[in-house]
Amino acid sequence: MSTSVVVVGANGRMGRAICDVAQNSPEYTLAGGVDSPARVAELSLRMVGKCPVSDNLQDLLGRVPENSVIIDFTAPEVSLASARVAAERGMALVIGTTGLSSEQLATLESLAAKTPLLWSSNMSIGINVMRKILPELARALGPDYDMEIMEIHHKHKKDSPSGTALTLAEGLAKARDWNLQDVRCSSRDGLIGERQEQQIGVQALRGGDVVGVHTVYFLGPGERIEVTHHAHSRENFARGALRAASWLAAQKPGKLYGVQDMLA
Ligand code: NAD
């Protein structure tokens, strides 16, 4: 059965990729697109004859099948507003937006009691498998191996370090029984002294049109391991988000799901 989806941020880089995959796959039906008042006219031109569009999610939902799943890749405050609308209507919502504060994530967790919600800072299957193996590497290598993360993204990305880099860092910190907030170092400048033992460097490069590169380094005595994920295009995130939408449609409310739950 085809999963009906409504895309919020449909005229953005990720929104366009999700709409393209949904329109070209029999497993999904693109039921509607939402974008900001400033960009909805451009979205209407792209979508002519394909599905309804609006600058207001609430209005659009009256014109789509009730069992549609909402997919939101926008900005933190916009995704929070989508989550409130989804919770009111009991509709499933997949959020891929990054840069959410811990308070905003806590709000999502409480809304997840009312409706099926999934949030992931990275919808790629490769990154999610990498998330599983990194803590194992950290534990097997032991405390002699320093852990550092470097990420590269296109010059339009607004948050830094990337949500994915922070998620990977959280997994590494947990594997060592550390609290990431206490050990994260995202700036090294000037006469800063030697590296602290309990530290995870999370550094960001920005430029060009790089879709996303994440490298995790384990730097030990006389050797190092590097684990790198390259996203070649946005299609892998789009496919992951759509797969998450199909999966979420069959889940019950109760917890804020992640891609890890889907893979389990
Ligand atoms: P973008 O700026 O290209 O797209 C965002 C879209 O949201 C724009 O079209 C914008 O007009 C729209 N928007 C803004 N306000 C709106 C509103 N009130 N209502 C409806 N639409 C609104 O950004 P992008 O590169 O597509 O990234 C979007 C988010 O997704 C970012 O947080 C990014 O980090 C994240 N992202 C996540 C993943 C993942 O796998 N989870 C992958 C890539 C990007």
Side-chain angles (χ1 to χ4, degrees):
M1 203 184 75
S2 150
T3 305
S4 169
V5 295
V6 169
V7 179
V8 186
N11 205 37
R13 282 174 287 262
M14 272 310 302
R16 285 194 297 261
I18 294 165
C19 292
D20 286 349
V21 175
Q23 283 172 323
N24 290 304
S25 161
E27 293 157 66
Y28 308 104
T29 305
L30 184 62
V34 180
D35 211 290
S36 62
R39 301 196 68 187
V40 77
E42 200 184 324
L43 177 64
S44 302
L45 288 176
R46 278 190 39 244
M47 292 292 190
V48 170
K50 290 174 184 158
C51 65
V53 302
S54 175
D55 60 6
N56 185 305
L57 176 61
Q58 191 76 268
D59 287 351
L60 184 94
L61 292 179
R63 295 188 269 152
V64 302
E66 269 178 27
N67 64 351
S68 300
V69 181
I70 307 164
I71 303 181
D72 182 308
F73 280 70
T74 53
E77 63 285 2
V78 181
S79 299
L80 261 286
S82 297
R84 289 194 183 95
V85 171
E88 258 172 45
R89 290 182 167 252
M91 291 176 80
L93 168 68
V94 171
I95 299 176
T97 304
T98 62
L100 275 72
S101 66
S102 44
E103 290 78 21
Q104 287 171 323
L105 282 174
T107 305
L108 285 189
E109 272 164 16
S110 66
L111 292 171
K114 299 184 187 153
T115 205
L117 283 190
L118 181 147
W119 171 77
S120 175
S121 60
N122 198 308
M123 299 283 176
S124 115
I125 302 300
I127 279 283
N128 281 285
V129 171
M130 192 165 151
R131 267 183 73 183
K132 277 190 175 177
I133 61 163
L134 288 175
E136 277 177 45
L137 273 176
R139 280 189 289 267
L141 290 167
D144 286 348
Y145 288 72
D146 298 322
M147 304 183 297
E148 297 273 317
I149 298 178
M150 170 71 87
E151 54 100 338
I152 315 176
H153 280 88
H154 56 88
K155 59 188 173 192
H156 303 293
K157 184 162 176 64
K158 297 186 181 70
D159 52 320
S160 171
S162 71
T164 303
L166 293 174
T167 304
L168 296 178
E170 258 160 31
L172 295 177
K174 224 172 173 181
R176 293 262 165 101
D177 284 326
W178 298 342
N179 185 340
L180 183 61
Q181 277 173 344
D182 302 335
V183 298
R184 171 156 77 93
C185 173
S186 290
S187 158
R188 292 193 178 106
D189 189 11
L191 196 59
I192 57 165
E194 289 184 10
R195 186 186 193 282
Q196 290 166 22
E197 264 183 36
Q198 294 203 357
Q199 190 170 74
I200 300 176
V202 187
Q203 313 293 336
L205 301 187
R206 292 287 176 268
D209 59 359
V210 179
V211 174
V213 179
H214 291 87
T215 300
V216 178
Y217 299 86
F218 294 91
L219 304 133
E223 63 176 4
R224 73 173 185 270
I225 293 178
E226 297 177 9
V227 184
T228 300
H229 177 271
H230 292 263
H232 296 170
S233 77
R234 291 185 175 82
E235 190 181 330
N236 78 101
F237 305 128
R239 287 192 181 281
L242 285 161
R243 185 171 153 188
S246 292
W247 177 82
L248 192 64
Q251 306 308 311
K252 296 209 168 0
K255 69 174 275 201
L256 180 58
Y257 294 106
V259 173
Q260 301 287 321
D261 296 304
M262 174 176 82
L263 294 180

